[in-house]
Amino acid sequence: MPSTTAITVSQLSRLIGLPDMPVIIDVRIDEDFDADPRLLPASIRRDFKTVSTWASEFAGRQVSVVCQRGQKLSQGVAAWFRHEGISAESLEGGFEAWRDANGLLVRTENLPPRDEKGRTVWVTRSRPKVDRIACPWLIRRFVDPHAVFLFVEAAEVAAVADRFKAVPFDIDTVFWSHRGERCTFDIMIEEFGLQSTALDRLAVIVRAADTASLDLVPQAAGFLAASLGLSRMFRDDLEQLEAGMLLYDAFFRWCRDATEETHNWPSAGKPS
């Protein structure tokens, strides 16, 4: 009989990258984490020993808890969440099962330090079009769902990064930027180890739109048009980012699930 308090690797993998994915909490002990310091996408590291002090932070959310093998630590933390009235499941088989199934794992060696609230902080040029929406989408969906993004004048990016301990991106001479023909979105996928069929397909669309190489894929022209339209709809860059998240969510789902689907107008007398 399937467990009512556990989620399988295949079930969780279908939720990764979606706006309604559960909060993933990694409670592996330091020894296990140090042996493989990668993380499930968008997961948060917490100490299982102090769960009673932080469980309430996740009230109203669906939670998936991960330990090394899906045994005592994750099951105990998930049980504590349920005691607090929070819907929670442990990952069946834990980190090892996810890893062995080739689930997406985020490399952490280039992950920026977090602020006092546990968030990564990023800064880039104002008035985003493509790459500067694509990268925040990738970070929030796969790396840090609570990441902070600061949009400032191009000349001030370096100074703001220094004064506010933010990581600059999509600007010349920084680590997170274009390399050759690849745009910053490509670089983030590579450096965070997030290569997958869906993200690689999306990366080609983003690169084509961002570098005006619209002949790369047929979706690029429409994607660029939608991106430019959004940039004209909003004066506030953060409002544009929030609206752009839906655009990228939709294209990610197409890249993952709908590339073979077509839409045809039904002939007269035939059901649609």
Side-chain angles (χ1 to χ4, degrees), residues 197-218:
T197 299
L199 285 176
D200 291 347
R201 185 176 284 136
L202 179 58
V204 176
I205 299 172
V206 171
R207 186 187 321 130
D210 190 58
T211 62
S213 305
L214 301 184
D215 57 339
L216 281 179
V217 284

Side-chain angles (χ1 to χ4, degrees), residues 27-263:
V27 297
R28 287 178 290 164
I29 62 173
D30 290 342
E31 182 180 357
D32 288 335
F33 176 75
D34 291 342
D36 189 342
R38 294 177 297 172
L39 292 167
L40 271 68
S43 61
I44 304 167
R45 284 267 295 157
R46 287 296 174 92
D47 185 350
F48 74 91
K49 295 189 295 292
T50 57
V51 60
S52 63
T53 67
W54 49 260
S56 61
E57 296 176 26
F58 302 96
R61 303 292 304 276
Q62 176 67 38
V63 176
S64 295
V65 187
V66 180
C67 68
Q68 188 69 5
R69 298 183 180 88
Q71 297 173 348
K72 55 186 177 294
L73 298 189
S74 58
Q75 291 187 33
V77 169
W80 192 279
F81 273 116
R82 294 192 295 272
H83 165 73
E84 297 275 356
I86 300 167
S87 180
E89 300 166 310
S90 58
L91 176 63
E92 188 176 277
F95 179 86
E96 291 185 356
W98 184 269
R99 178 199 62 203
D100 294 345
N102 295 316
L104 273 181
L105 286 168
V106 180
R107 291 167 48 187
T108 57
E109 59 264 33
N110 291 319
L111 190 63
R114 298 176 184 264
D115 69 2
E116 65 281 357
K117 293 186 177 180
R119 307 167 298 185
T120 57
V121 182
W122 305 77
V123 61
T124 190
R125 297 169 288 140
S126 58
R127 306 312 302 141
K129 298 295 187 298
V130 179
D131 221 2
R132 283 164 287 150
I133 299 294
C135 293
W137 173 84
L138 184 74
I139 291 167
R140 283 195 173 160
R141 293 289 184 255
F142 292 89
V143 180
D144 175 12
H146 304 295
V148 174
F149 295 97
L150 308 176
F151 293 95
V152 302
E153 293 179 9
E156 302 302 324
V157 170
V160 170
D162 178 61
R163 297 296 178 88
F164 293 88
K165 295 182 173 59
V167 179
F169 71 98
D170 200 49
I171 196 165
D172 289 342
T173 73
V174 302
F175 181 81
W176 300 106
S177 191
H178 287 227
R179 299 179 193 173
E181 296 181 351
R182 296 183 300 160
C183 62
T184 311
F185 188 73
D186 291 301
I187 302 308
M188 288 193 171
I189 287 175
E190 177 185 341
E191 294 290 346
F192 286 127
L194 290 171
Q195 285 88 354
S196 70
T197 299
L199 285 176
D200 291 347
R201 185 176 284 136
L202 179 58
V204 176
I205 299 172
V206 171
R207 186 187 321 130
D210 190 58
T211 62
S213 305
L214 301 184
D215 57 339
L216 281 179
V217 284
Q219 296 78 27
F223 189 81
L224 177 60
S227 299
L228 295 178
L230 282 174
S231 74
R232 294 300 183 92
M233 290 172 63
F234 298 95
R235 290 189 61 188
D236 186 292
D237 294 339
L238 292 175
E239 290 183 4
Q240 182 189 339
L241 172 58
E242 290 307 312
M245 294 290 287
L246 181 60
L247 174 67
Y248 282 82
D249 287 338
F251 267 80
F252 174 69
R253 286 304 297 272
W254 177 83
C255 288
R256 197 189 78 173
D257 300 326
T259 56
E260 302 301 320
E261 184 176 338
T262 59
H263 177 72

